Amino acid sequence: MSDETQRLAALVGSRICHDLISPVGAIQNGVELLAMEGRAGPEMALIEDSVKNASARIRYMRVAFGLAGVAQPISRAEVMGTLADMSRAGRVRYDWTLDKDCLRADAQQVFLAMMCLESAMPRGGTIVARGIDDGWAITGPAEMDRPNAEMWGLLQGQAEADPLPAHVQYAMLPLVLKTHQRHLTVTPGDTSVTLRITPNG
């Protein structure tokens, strides 16, 4: 994929997320107003949970697949809020240990790495993202035989494969890392896998 094609794909991702977040937010506000009027119940709770889940996923995808400028920042509060909402929505928890703001490009790389680990965690668990020197270490209870060996090979630039939509992060992350001159190391452990993102060289 050329740089221009990658940029266009990121712009499309940003546009889709931007156009979806407003109506989803409006629905969420409407549900909250109905709850304040006393129209609570199991149906309303189900709608509220679904809307919150959708909002969290759109915000997450906007960071992971959207366009990240070279020096564009993202606040720790935005990252923590998005990951907290994602944690409430599913079987995977996210622990972001960095105590300061960072570049949006860094958050994009970490979010994509988290998605790779998440798809390899059949029983769920906690993914921990730590800042290390000039890079990152993202660790989770993932299994190297999931989703399959081809995806891990694609992630490490050791194979060519056509990923399913659910596994597009394995193809996207190497492209993003190349753009920002970063290197990925995959380190399997007894009960976890660590993805290390460091500068080239």
Side-chain angles (χ1 to χ4, degrees), residues 80-99:
M80 294 291 287
T82 298
L83 294 180
D85 289 343
M86 285 286 290
S87 293
R88 284 192 289 269
R91 57 185 175 78
V92 176
R93 302 291 181 265
Y94 306 88
D95 184 5
W96 180 275
T97 65
L98 193 69
D99 60 0

Side-chain angles (χ1 to χ4, degrees), residues 141-152:
E143 300 177 4
M144 291 292 291
D145 59 348
R146 293 175 179 268
N148 54 58
E150 288 78 12
M151 290 303 99
W152 288 104

